Amino acid sequence: MGRYTAIILSAHPVTVEIPGVVVLPSVQKISTVAELYDLRLSVLDRVSTEFCFFLDDDDELPPDYLSVLDECASHDLPLAYTDELIRYQGLETVRKGADYDLALHKRTPMLVHHLALMRTQDAVRAAARLPRGSLAVEQPLYMELAKGGAAYVPRIGYIWDRKTTGISHWPQMLGAQMRAMHWCNGGAQ
């Protein structure tokens, strides 16, 4: 067994293989952001490795992913995050992060997005402290984890194949992101 688990939520059977990484599929049709939020938080209890991260079934990791994961894990913090390569409508851009700062994270919820490597035991505890409902999962979970420490690794750790359709484009997602941001600004100290 490896040190890392990729949690993949999908409506279809997951056939992804990632050498050196345990793939934990959770196959379920998701029709609301509340279902997505609850599923992402509840699947953390099924992870058996030291570290984990979310990987969308239509995204990918860079060729040097094991090196990136090892560098993230070497910080020995509840959370480490990277830059991401975004593919959208035929263009590629790199979203760069910055050293972790709570005030910056509150203003810029996408500071921590893809790849966010979580120390599993901390992620499970953080998930138990979060409210439930129609929230975007990344902001509250990552902000709660960062209370114990977070490190920025300035390398591309994730390739986001952003589509023009899908969950990130659901009208209800905008509201979920706003509610999550509100919770983060009022609930995260």
Side-chain angles (χ1 to χ4, degrees):
M1 176 185 297
R3 290 182 79 192
Y4 310 110
T5 294
I7 300 168
I8 301 177
L9 309 182
S10 178
H12 309 287
V14 175
T15 59
V16 175
E17 292 185 20
I18 307 170
V21 175
V22 174
V23 174
L24 177 59
S26 185
V27 179
Q28 178 177 329
K29 183 168 174 32
I30 299 166
S31 58
T32 68
V33 291
E35 288 175 353
L36 173 63
Y37 181 75
D38 285 339
L39 185 57
R40 281 209 165 168
L41 294 180
S42 66
V43 76
L44 291 168
D45 286 327
R46 295 178 32 217
V47 175
S48 59
T49 59
E50 184 179 2
F51 296 96
C52 62
F53 60 94
F54 295 112
L55 177 66
D56 291 346
D57 63 355
D58 58 349
D59 294 338
E60 58 190 272
L61 300 175
D64 62 343
Y65 67 90
L66 281 175
S67 172
V68 174
L69 290 169
D70 287 342
E71 186 172 343
C72 288
S74 73
H75 289 277
D76 196 30
L77 291 170
L79 179 67
Y81 58 98
T82 68
D83 298 329
E84 66 184 329
L85 176 69
I86 303 169
R87 293 180 180 148
Y88 186 64
Q89 295 184 334
L91 300 174
E92 289 188 350
T93 58
V94 175
R95 181 182 316 188
K96 293 202 171 280
D99 288 338
Y100 190 80
D101 175 78
L102 178 60
L104 177 61
H105 196 184
K106 286 182 176 186
R107 287 191 315 273
T108 314
M110 297 295 270
L111 173 68
V112 182
H113 192 230
H114 298 131
L115 170 85
L117 185 69
M118 303 172 283
R119 192 165 48 201
T120 303
Q121 65 182 3
D122 293 301
V124 170
R125 285 195 295 263
R129 293 189 300 267
L130 293 176
R132 294 301 196 256
S134 292
L135 298 170
V137 71
E138 285 94 351
Q139 295 105 319
L141 179 59
Y142 299 156
M143 189 159 295
E144 193 66 20
L145 274 166
K147 289 179 180 179
Y152 167 56
V153 175
R155 295 176 63 184
I156 293 175
Y158 196 99
I159 301 170
W160 183 19
D161 191 16
R162 190 165 182 227
K163 308 277 191 250
T164 57
T165 60
I167 291 174
S168 66
H169 292 278
W170 286 357
Q172 60 182 300
M173 184 55 79
L174 180 59
Q177 290 169 338
M178 296 304 293
R179 283 186 293 279
M181 189 171 180
H182 178 74
W183 181 87
C184 289
N185 278 284
Q189 304 300 321

